[in-house]
Amino acid sequence: MTFTLTSSPRASVDLSRMWRDAPAFTGLGLLLVAALIPLYAAMALDTRIFQGESPWLKPVKFHYALSIYLITLAFFARYVSATLRTTRRWRAFTAVVCIAVLYEVLWLGAAASMNVASHFNSTSQAWIMAYALAGVSAVLLTSGSLGVGIAVARNRGTGLTSAVHLSVWLGLVLTFVLTLVVAGYLSSNGTHFVGSSTRQLAILGWSRDAGDLRVAHFLATHALHGLPLVGVLAQSLVPSRARLVISVAGIGYAALVAGTFAQALAGQPFLAWLG
């Protein structure tokens, strides 16, 4: 199955190639998508409510997020040198990332099945330990973007233009750096919110009347999508200045994450005018 994207240079989202280039990332990503079927069934059959919503909603959201993340890494793996992808250290690296992802979804699923909190759960020593291990696994799974980003940066034979090549590896590396800072603080804060939140934005659940650290976290984790998109557009529209545009975009994206992070710390909601 092949889906074609308009880009410069031209690229296609080919599942068979993604399986060949990054079988662990691709396979686990597809498995997480398939696992949404029983999760949605659980939501339909389990009438329990936790903090105003189905306990299965959080695992569903994470399955979507982690599957997109893994499939994105699998796509960008084509720009990692073929020689590196055959080495034992590369296979070990992908295995560690996938094991970390598996721990996250199993931990979330276990909490949902017991109708208890997964994050910030200090009700027992077991859940405190589980949350601490989840923090370690979160760093390990996020390091997937760093590892792929560094490997892409070192590969001069990607077939990409210089500007698009920059946008790909910079987006991957920034995802790790920005997420590590924001998620590190969030995990030790004891809550997503800064202040008392009584209203949340539909779907995303971001607070409408308090600071919400998840906004900066969301933006940080999507640098690996945002900057390559800027790279493709810059290469198409202003090829002679594409690298400059991408460099400025990288600084701007980091500033956006920092700004929303500071806004949350000040107890202010993101885009308060949304109501």
Side-chain angles (χ1 to χ4, degrees):
M1 182 182 298
T2 302
F3 304 93
T4 301
L5 299 177
T6 301
S7 63
S8 180
R10 192 176 180 85
S12 63
V13 182
D14 185 338
L15 289 179
S16 62
R17 175 166 183 180
M18 290 162 64
W19 182 268
R20 183 174 68 250
D21 294 340
F25 291 156
T26 305
L28 183 53
L30 294 176
L31 179 63
L32 293 183
V33 172
L36 285 167
I37 297 173
L39 285 177
Y40 275 117
M43 286 183 67
L45 298 173
D46 189 347
T47 58
R48 296 176 301 171
I49 297 296
F50 180 75
Q51 295 180 345
E53 59 190 24
S54 169
W56 298 101
L57 183 59
K58 180 170 285 188
V60 164
K61 289 180 178 179
F62 271 77
H63 272 247
Y64 276 116
L66 291 171
S67 63
I68 291 171
Y69 175 68
L70 288 168
I71 294 300
T72 302
L73 293 184
F75 175 79
F76 287 137
R78 69 186 60 195
Y79 304 125
V80 175
S81 74
T83 301
L84 177 59
R85 284 190 271 109
T86 62
T87 62
R88 183 174 299 177
R89 71 176 183 275
W90 177 261
R91 290 194 295 271
F93 159 70
T94 58
V96 167
V97 172
C98 289
I99 290 170
V101 170
L102 283 170
Y103 177 80
E104 290 285 318
V105 296
L106 290 173
W107 162 63
L108 291 163
S113 68
M114 298 178 189
N115 202 34
V116 299
S118 51
H119 294 71
F120 316 118
N121 189 337
S122 58
T123 58
S124 71
Q125 194 61 41
W127 282 112
I128 292 173
M129 180 66 72
Y131 184 48
L133 288 174
V136 174
S137 67
V139 173
L140 291 175
L141 74 87
T142 310
S143 72
S145 67
L146 177 65
V148 175
I150 292 173
V152 172
R154 290 176 174 175
N155 182 19
R156 299 303 176 184
T158 61
L160 298 170
T161 64
S162 174
V164 176
H165 179 245
L166 171 63
S167 71
V168 170
W169 72 254
L170 184 59
L172 286 161
V173 171
L174 273 180
T175 293
F176 174 78
V177 174
L178 296 174
T179 301
L180 192 65
V181 173
V182 175
Y185 181 87
L186 194 159
S187 65
S188 63
N189 191 53
T191 176
H192 302 123
F193 304 122
V194 177
S196 179
S197 178
T198 59
R199 294 185 295 112
Q200 285 82 48
L201 187 66
I203 301 177
L204 292 172
W206 295 341
S207 177
R208 306 308 318 127
D209 54 3
D212 197 326
L213 297 165
R214 292 174 298 179
V215 178
H217 185 272
F218 176 87
L219 293 172
T221 59
H222 286 286
L224 78 172
H225 299 114
L227 285 181
L229 177 59
V230 171
V232 169
L233 292 174
Q235 185 63 47
S236 299
L237 299 175
V238 286
S240 63
R241 298 185 178 180
R243 284 185 64 88
L244 176 60
V245 170
I246 293 159
S247 298
V248 172
I251 295 171
Y253 199 94
L256 175 63
V257 173
T260 54
F261 186 49
Q263 182 183 50
L265 291 177
Q268 299 298 314
F270 178 66
L271 299 181
W273 54 267
L274 288 176

